[in-house]
Amino acid sequence: YVLQMKFIDYLHGVYPKPHIDLHAGELAPSLVPPEGLCCHIRLAVEMGHSERIGHGVDVMYEDRPYDLLKEMAAKHVMVEINLTSNDVILGVSGKDHPFPIYRKFHVPVALSTDDEGVSRINMTHEYVRAASTYALSYADLKQMVRTGLEHNFLPGASLWREPDAFRRTAAACAPDTAGAAKPSAACAGFLKSSEKAQQQWELERRFREFEAGF
């Protein structure tokens, strides 16, 4: 694994622009000896330059896990959470899953199915499971949906001024209500320049439409 991360580190130095998203930490103590849990997530973040981590289940078995969590939060490294997959494949679920710990340390998280075809599930299933298992609020669910879009690799600037805050929009759209049907000329110009911001604006529009029914 170290050698693989060295390859990625070298390639990142040669080609710094491509985004990097790595699986790391899809392990449990029943599968590998203790030394196998020491550092895959850390290596993916620090040597592999990963902007997103798939799974990250064994984070609390890593060397200095709390330092790693703080580092991931500071660098805004998102973790793709796969609750059903981790339960079925690793036997890790409920209070044994690090999902609440990531949230406690403000590491950005978003839900994923891992593989819909293999698990016979969809994203709705994962949101229901997360909400019922961890007593998540509607605001918590919205946060994760926004996080998923914030950390995708669509081209263009984010709609949001601060990463993972989702409180203030970019300066061009600051006078507007996020998701409004008719953004101002300045905001419309900004949205036209960014595919990511367009999708984030559309998400806010859908939130507004849904919430108007209650």
Side-chain angles (χ1 to χ4, degrees):
Y1 191 86
V2 174
L3 181 59
Q4 293 170 352
M5 293 303 105
K6 287 182 178 179
F7 289 159
I8 296 175
D9 185 31
Y10 169 77
L11 290 170
H12 178 70
V14 178
Y15 306 105
K17 292 184 179 180
H19 294 287
I20 300 176
D21 182 353
L22 299 175
H23 267 47
E26 189 184 3
L27 296 168
S30 60
L31 300 177
V32 294
E35 57 268 24
L37 302 170
C38 72
C39 43
H40 285 188
I41 300 172
R42 183 184 300 280
L43 287 169
V45 171
E46 296 180 351
M47 190 180 296
H49 307 277
S50 190
E51 301 164 68
R52 294 164 44 148
I53 295 294
H55 295 282
V57 178
D58 69 355
V59 65
M60 296 310 295
Y61 293 94
E62 293 237 349
D63 297 337
R64 307 188 315 280
Y66 297 109
D67 290 342
L68 176 59
L69 289 164
K70 292 174 183 177
E71 179 180 356
M72 294 173 73
K75 291 182 175 179
H76 298 277
V77 177
M78 192 195 83
V79 180
E80 303 157 11
I81 300 294
N82 305 285
L83 295 175
T84 298
S85 174
N86 297 157
D87 184 8
V88 173
I89 296 175
L90 302 178
V92 177
S93 63
K95 62 180 178 58
D96 296 323
H97 198 282
F99 173 56
I101 296 173
Y102 280 124
R103 297 186 68 241
K104 180 178 180 180
F105 279 81
H106 306 290
V107 177
V109 294
L111 296 180
S112 173
T113 63
D114 192 18
D115 192 319
E116 294 186 6
V118 171
S119 300
R120 299 292 195 271
I121 57 174
N122 56 24
M123 286 300 297
T124 299
H125 178 278
E126 295 302 275
Y127 274 94
V128 171
R129 178 167 186 154
S132 58
T133 303
Y134 300 103
L136 302 179
S137 66
Y138 177 61
D140 294 331
L141 300 179
K142 286 180 71 175
Q143 175 83 8
M144 286 193 294
V145 176
R146 286 168 170 156
T147 299
L149 268 182
E150 177 75 2
H151 290 268
N152 67 25
F153 297 147
L154 287 171
S158 172
L159 173 65
W160 303 102
R161 198 172 303 190
E162 297 94 12
D164 299 313
F166 311 125
R167 289 188 293 270
R168 297 193 301 162
T169 55
C173 295
D176 299 75
T177 300
K182 294 183 178 181
S184 64
C187 184
F190 170 74
L191 296 176
K192 187 176 181 180
S193 72
S194 170
E195 188 176 344
K196 173 180 280 190
Q198 290 173 28
Q199 292 302 316
Q200 292 174 313
W201 191 268
E202 171 62 14
L203 175 64
E204 298 305 310
R205 185 196 68 78
R206 294 186 182 190
F207 280 147
R208 287 165 54 84
E209 182 178 4
F210 173 73
E211 292 164 4
F214 294 90

